[in-house]
Amino acid sequence: MPPAVPAFLDACLRRPTPFTPIWLMRQAGRYMPEYRAVRARLGFLELCKSPEAAAEVTLQPVERLGVDAAILFADILLVLEPLGVGLEFTRADGPRIERPVRSGQAALALPQIIVEDALGCVFDTVARARKALADRVPLIGFAGAPFTLASYLIEGGPSREFLLTKAFMRAEPEAWAAMMSTLADITGAYLNGQIRAGAQAVQLFDSWVGTLSPADYRQYVEPHTRRAIQALRPGVPVIHFGVGTGGLLPLMKAAGGDVIGLDWRVELGPTWARLGHDVAVQGNLDPAVLLASVDAIRHAARAILDGAAGRPGHIFNLGHGIHRETPVEHVKALVDIVHELSSR
Ligand code: CP3
């Protein structure tokens, strides 16, 4: 089978890339002064729902860093707000759900939502960002995968062990399946809305699914993630990402996606070979490396590029989001280093 990525890049960039393309997880954010300037005027949710400002923030990393794609500025949790569970972002602790789902009954009572009504502002951001980009680089949309969304609904915020989520799926298998399939439908419709508005590729974030055993992934997650991906408009590349997923990667590949995200806990070369070169990979620098010297960044970037061995189908990325203490010059240096070292 031909590697997935040349087609992916053709579709995305509509020009051959002379080097390994790079974009970054959470490429806009608090480490950027120009982002903080916008946030001084607007609360986080308010910013996500202000198409003009959100489109501006979407373009900031393209202008400042020279990355090869723009990533929509939004958040995976925005879809939870119309479910009426009370979403807020606090300065100290990040996201909070005021009324978490703690019973089968509550899961079954979640309302149906019409994404065009509930999330139309995000589609407006996509359209504006696409226009402002004028095809300089492609625009990537994104959404949370059903498991990661369900984990926030149940835990009510960030979690280390996901004990409530794991207890829920076992104690209430029917309500779990119903909620996951509702979330899969929402995710599919939400991503299709972004595609219709102009997103040229989409990324599905199953950030916390690495907490599960392979058997649990198969039983409680895979059918729903597959359903969300299969609902997407054909021909639009899908990036499927999670953290700590070393033991789940073949299952995630089977669930779907043209590109599989790798974090730094796995070695890129051998992991890609195991997964098969018929799928593209994205990754996998430890974001903590960006806090070290530029020499250390160069060294680590080279090791990853060596692992990919110049094969088409590798997108350079971080294994997870950029830490807020990261010097923005280090992020810029990484982008330049990857372009330089991979120039062909
Ligand atoms: O990459 C980009 O630049 C696009 C923007 C983007 C944000 N969130 C903006 C954001 C993306 C792609 C996300 C995805 C997201 N959000 C994920 C999946 C990716 C991942 O990191 O695993 C998750 C789990 C969330 C939920 C979320 N949103 C958390 C846990 C937090 C708080 C912790 C943190 O890292 O800041 C957020 C807030 C958030 N989302 C910020 C940004 C820029 C910081 C908010 C602020 O400005 O105060």
Side-chain angles (χ1 to χ4, degrees), residues 58-146:
T58 299
L59 263 72
Q60 285 172 346
V62 175
E63 273 143 22
R64 163 75 82 127
L65 307 170
V67 284
D68 299 304
I71 300 169
L72 166 69
F73 187 82
D75 196 88
I76 63 163
L77 301 181
L78 293 182
V79 297
L80 303 185
E81 201 179 38
L83 294 177
V85 290
L87 170 69
E88 55 175 357
F89 283 84
T90 62
R91 280 234 167 243
D93 308 317
R96 282 266 142 230
I97 302 291
E98 253 171 85
R99 295 174 291 281
V101 172
R102 293 282 165 79
S103 66
Q105 205 181 5
L108 294 169
L110 289 173
Q112 300 284 338
I113 65 169
I114 297 171
V115 293
E116 283 73 18
D117 298 343
L119 297 154
C121 52
V122 176
F123 305 151
D124 194 4
T125 303
V126 170
R128 281 169 191 258
R130 202 37 222 286
K131 186 151 182 263
L133 283 166
D135 283 335
R136 274 178 291 163
V137 293
L139 177 62
I140 302 178
F142 70 88

Side-chain angles (χ1 to χ4, degrees), residues 24-30 35 39 44 47-48 57 61 71-77 89-91 93-95 142 144 148 152 158 205-208 241 243 320-322 324:
L24 305 164
M25 294 267 314
R26 299 273 186 99
Q27 72 186 22
R30 285 175 290 199
Y35 172 79
R39 278 282 277 111
F44 180 69
L47 169 55
C48 289
V57 171
I71 300 169
L72 166 69
F73 187 82
D75 196 88
I76 63 163
L77 301 181
F89 283 84
T90 62
R91 280 234 167 243
D93 308 317
F142 70 88
T148 292
Y152 280 103
F205 284 104
D206 213 349
S207 298
W208 311 134
F241 169 84
V243 182
H320 204 188
I322 300 181
R324 72 173 97 174

Side-chain angles (χ1 to χ4, degrees), residues 2 20 46 51 80 86 99 107-108 119 150 156 182 199 216 250 256 262 275 316:
T20 301
E46 204 183 348
L80 303 185
R99 295 174 291 281
L108 294 169
L119 297 154
T182 300
D216 285 349
L262 305 179
L275 261 182
F316 199 102

Side-chain angles (χ1 to χ4, degrees), residues 137-340:
V137 293
L139 177 62
I140 302 178
F142 70 88
F147 176 81
T148 292
L149 295 176
S151 79
Y152 280 103
L153 279 175
I154 294 170
E155 305 288 338
S159 170
R160 227 172 229 290
E161 308 279 5
F162 299 93
L163 296 179
L164 294 170
T165 307
K166 291 178 184 185
F168 190 109
M169 66 193 196
R170 291 202 156 69
E172 297 282 354
E174 280 158 25
W176 169 264
M179 176 167 69
M180 288 287 280
S181 95
T182 300
L183 292 170
D185 291 343
I186 292 174
T187 297
Y190 181 46
L191 287 175
N192 277 332
Q194 294 179 29
I195 292 165
R196 237 178 281 119
Q200 291 146 294
V202 292
Q203 177 154 346
L204 191 62
F205 284 104
D206 213 349
S207 298
W208 311 134
V209 79
T211 190
L212 295 183
S213 70
D216 285 349
Y217 184 89
R218 241 183 243 115
Q219 181 173 353
Y220 295 108
V221 177
E222 211 247 28
H224 308 288
T225 297
R226 184 192 297 273
R227 177 183 168 107
I229 293 175
Q230 285 186 344
L232 302 182
R233 192 209 277 182
V236 178
V238 178
I239 307 166
H240 188 179
F241 169 84
V243 182
T245 52
L248 301 179
L249 291 169
L251 298 173
M252 290 175 69
K253 177 187 174 188
D258 302 282
V259 184
I260 303 294
L262 305 179
D263 79 5
W264 63 93
R265 295 167 184 91
V266 298
E267 215 175 353
L268 191 135
T271 304
W272 195 4
R274 251 198 324 275
L275 261 182
H277 293 119
D278 58 324
V279 75
V281 292
Q282 167 180 292
N284 68 341
L285 186 72
D286 181 347
V289 172
L290 291 175
L291 299 168
S293 68
V294 171
D295 275 350
I297 293 169
R298 174 179 285 273
H299 182 80
R302 191 193 301 275
I304 289 168
L305 290 168
D306 286 349
R311 229 173 239 291
H314 173 222
I315 296 155
F316 199 102
N317 208 310
L318 304 176
H320 204 188
I322 300 181
H323 299 288
R324 72 173 97 174
E325 306 80 3
T326 306
V328 70
E329 321 80 70
H330 287 192
V331 188
K332 169 76 177 131
L334 173 68
V335 174
D336 292 344
I337 287 166
V338 168
H339 286 159
E340 177 207 318

